[in-house]
Amino acid sequence: VSPKCAVTMASSVKDLVSTLNPGQKQKYETNYAELLLKIAGTDSLAVSFFREKAGKSFMIYHPNLAYLARDYGLEEIAVENDGKEPSPSRLKELIDLAKEDNLKIIMVQREYDTRNARAIADETGSRVVVIDPLSADWYSSTTGIIRTLKESFAENL
């Protein structure tokens, strides 16, 4: 989901498909250049939204935004730990963290159960937002997640 990582992945894919199908290399180079512009725009959006939010935390059910958090100076708090649902004591810790950090949004990937996130939200006055970082539409999904994070931080004032 991180635009900074997307550049590396896009380059690797372009190189691979160019090697597999050298006759289409110019097409791949052109498409790659267009994709880099979209990625750069997404990176600029993230930089502008998170420039003054270094160290801010957000909560997500499954720890899937670690690279995005790392690349923009944010802290990801995962509800799930090592693929397991939180124990009652961990749930209490998460509720306390959400209250302490005044978190207003808890993100959950589309394919996960929202029950534990809703339990935290109910106790903290937060709301659950379903995201889709595995969407085939990387651009829309990633910009949507970045906008959700911006909204979350705006609500944390």
Side-chain angles (χ1 to χ4, degrees):
V1 175
S2 172
K4 294 183 187 312
C5 292
V7 170
T8 302
M9 290 185 284
S11 176
S12 295
V13 170
K14 176 205 43 114
D15 292 346
L16 175 65
V17 295
S18 293
T19 300
L20 294 174
N21 190 1
Q24 295 294 316
K25 183 175 181 172
Q26 187 53 50
K27 175 183 167 185
Y28 301 139
E29 291 288 343
T30 300
N31 290 343
Y32 173 68
E34 289 175 20
L35 179 59
L36 284 183
L37 290 174
K38 276 189 164 183
I39 293 171
T42 306
D43 177 59
S44 293
L45 181 72
V47 167
S48 72
F49 286 173
F50 306 138
R51 180 177 295 125
E52 297 176 14
K53 304 298 183 188
K56 295 291 273 181
S57 60
F58 63 91
M59 191 171 287
I60 185 168
Y61 181 77
H62 178 75
N64 193 25
L65 302 180
Y67 292 121
L68 182 74
R70 176 201 67 196
D71 291 346
Y72 298 98
L74 308 174
E75 181 187 350
E76 176 184 69
I77 301 170
V79 173
E80 179 186 82
N81 188 22
D82 292 328
K84 298 178 185 137
E85 292 192 13
S87 66
S89 62
R90 177 65 179 153
L91 207 51
K92 180 173 179 350
E93 285 176 32
L94 291 166
I95 290 167
D96 292 344
L97 268 173
K99 286 179 180 177
E100 181 180 317
D101 289 351
N102 196 28
L103 302 181
K104 298 298 180 190
I105 292 177
I106 302 168
M107 292 182 283
V108 179
Q109 286 174 238
R110 184 175 50 92
E111 55 277 345
Y112 287 96
D113 184 0
T114 61
R115 185 183 50 213
N116 285 314
R118 289 196 189 286
I120 296 167
D122 289 346
E123 290 295 320
T124 61
S126 304
R127 62 187 173 93
V128 174
V129 174
V130 177
I131 60 171
D132 190 9
L134 300 177
S135 169
D137 184 351
W138 178 87
Y139 177 75
S140 294
S141 174
T142 301
T143 56
I145 290 167
I146 290 168
R147 290 179 192 285
T148 296
L149 285 168
K150 178 189 178 202
E151 180 185 341
S152 171
F153 297 149
E155 291 181 12
N156 283 345
L157 299 177

